[in-house]
Amino acid sequence: MEPNHLSSQPIGIFDSGIGGLTVAHALVTSLPKENIIYFGDTAHLPYGDKSTAAIQAYAVKIAHMLLQQECKLILIACNSASAAAYELVKEYIGSKAMVMNVIDPTIHLLKEKYASKHIGLIGTKQTVNSHIYKKKIDDLNLNIQLSSHATNLLASAIEEFGNHHVIDSLLQVYLSHPELQHIDALVLACTHYPIIKNKIFQLYMMSNNRSIEIIDSSEIVALAVKKQLEENNLLNGSGTSTKHFYLSDYTESFATNAKLFFGEDITLEHYPLWD
Ligand code: DGL
């Protein structure tokens, strides 16, 4: 097949803050030649407690900015924004770029591997109260029993403390919630949570005296993006890749935490989208 001249255009990725870097990291690992523009809306963090209308307004403006940077694909690397604003962003962008979210690839995995199981889910208030996972599961008749629990403070605690043991007691309270007992697997429905995946596994075991399979969507999403680019003949096969990481509000603590989410190799820049 002839190379597509649009394939060297960047992939735009955004989240409320630096949580989406867990997805960006998986993406860079499986697609090292892609050019990446990451936008973390740290000025409005956390999205999980915001109204749907507010998240929609943020998401459309960020998508507009990514479109101006000529992104070929815009990935909403945030469950809360995927739940609140995916349909609107898709409509806004139209045929000018592809738009993907982090929820559909996880639903696809549930369909392939977990039909008829009892699945637990933890996420922000926005994601859990939207019932978007339940609606999508029911639309596909997957016969999955879904038990969701909003872990409201977790994303902010991870932003502040990373994987530090100070968050253990908070996590223990969340994980021992009655909704999350007797489940076969647990979906991490917030892109901040993969950073403490091992801790979630260990504390679930301590609180419930049994181990649990953890469904971390960062790799699943990266593979879905790869498939989408392949199907549209838009994989970047040549040249050296560039990566830009922007934050709407820059502080040293974000810069330090970003290394936790992404690894050492990251330089953050301030992008004053709201000024
Ligand atoms: N990372 C975002 C998500 O996946 C949530 C964090 C926030 O509340 O801003 O939902």
Side-chain angles (χ1 to χ4, degrees):
M1 215 187 290
E2 283 290 298
N4 186 328
H5 69 285
L6 301 175
S7 60
S8 61
Q9 289 178 206
I11 298 176
I13 306 174
F14 74 91
D15 178 44
S16 59
I18 53 182
L21 289 174
T22 57
V23 184
H25 185 260
L27 203 69
V28 166
T29 307
S30 68
L31 295 170
K33 291 183 178 161
E34 294 297 328
N35 297 307
I36 303 281
I37 297 178
Y38 183 91
F39 184 84
D41 192 10
T42 41
H44 295 124
L45 185 87
Y47 275 8
D49 300 340
K50 301 285 187 304
S51 69
T52 299
I55 299 172
Q56 288 177 337
Y58 305 150
V60 166
K61 178 137 178 165
I62 296 164
H64 178 80
M65 182 276 277
L66 292 171
L67 200 58
Q68 282 179 326
Q69 309 265 340
E70 302 192 323
C71 290
K72 59 183 173 185
L73 185 147
I74 295 173
L75 172 63
I76 307 179
C78 169
N79 280 263
S80 311
S82 295
Y86 170 63
E87 295 298 338
L88 190 70
V89 169
K90 213 169 141 57
E91 197 183 310
Y92 179 77
I93 297 295
S95 59
K96 297 191 233 31
M98 293 181 283
V99 181
M100 292 182 72
N101 65 65
V102 285
I103 296 174
D104 288 331
T106 311
I107 296 290
H108 186 72
L109 178 84
L110 293 177
K111 179 174 167 223
E112 299 288 301
K113 280 187 64 184
Y114 298 92
S116 307
K117 301 267 191 209
H118 182 186
I119 303 297
L121 178 146
I122 51 175
T124 66
K125 212 190 287 182
Q126 166 63 224
T127 301
V128 170
N129 290 349
S130 74
H131 303 292
I132 189 157
Y133 279 87
K134 169 104 177 77
K135 285 180 201 152
K136 286 180 184 272
I137 284 169
D138 290 350
D139 284 351
L140 292 170
N141 282 323
L142 299 184
N143 193 29
I144 286 174
Q145 183 189 346
L146 186 71
S147 298
S148 305
H149 184 49
T151 43
N152 298 346
L153 300 176
L154 204 49
S156 304
I158 296 169
E159 286 270 347
E160 180 72 22
F161 298 109
N163 205 14
H164 195 276
H165 62 80
V166 290
I167 69 171
D168 289 11
S169 34
L170 176 67
L171 196 52
Q172 231 155 347
V173 172
Y174 285 143
L175 294 177
S176 51
H177 192 274
E179 278 286 326
L180 301 179
Q181 311 311 302
H182 316 297
I183 53 175
D184 298 311
L186 180 67
V187 176
L188 305 186
C190 171
T191 52
H192 282 70
Y193 301 171
I195 198 86
I196 57 158
K197 185 169 149 181
N198 291 341
K199 201 184 261 311
I200 291 173
F201 178 80
Q202 283 157 8
L203 289 178
Y204 188 90
M205 190 143 76
M206 272 175 65
S207 310
N208 301 284
N209 286 320
R210 65 190 190 92
S211 68
I212 188 79
E213 194 183 337
I214 306 282
I215 302 176
D216 161 3
S217 56
S218 44
E219 276 164 29
I220 307 163
V221 171
L223 292 176
V225 170
K226 187 174 182 185
K227 187 159 171 273
Q228 180 79 2
L229 292 176
E230 265 164 6
E231 284 172 2
N232 289 277
N233 190 25
L234 279 172
L235 270 182
N236 193 23
S238 59
T240 47
S241 68
T242 59
K243 294 174 183 45
H244 291 282
F245 298 92
Y246 299 119
L247 298 180
S248 55
D249 184 27
Y250 181 91
T251 66
E252 278 308 316
S253 82
F254 284 132
T256 308
N257 282 343
K259 294 191 182 357
L260 259 171
F261 285 74
F262 195 82
E264 288 303 308
D265 184 21
I266 183 167
T267 308
L268 299 173
E269 294 167 57
H270 181 217
Y271 191 111
L273 186 62
W274 312 106
D275 295 358

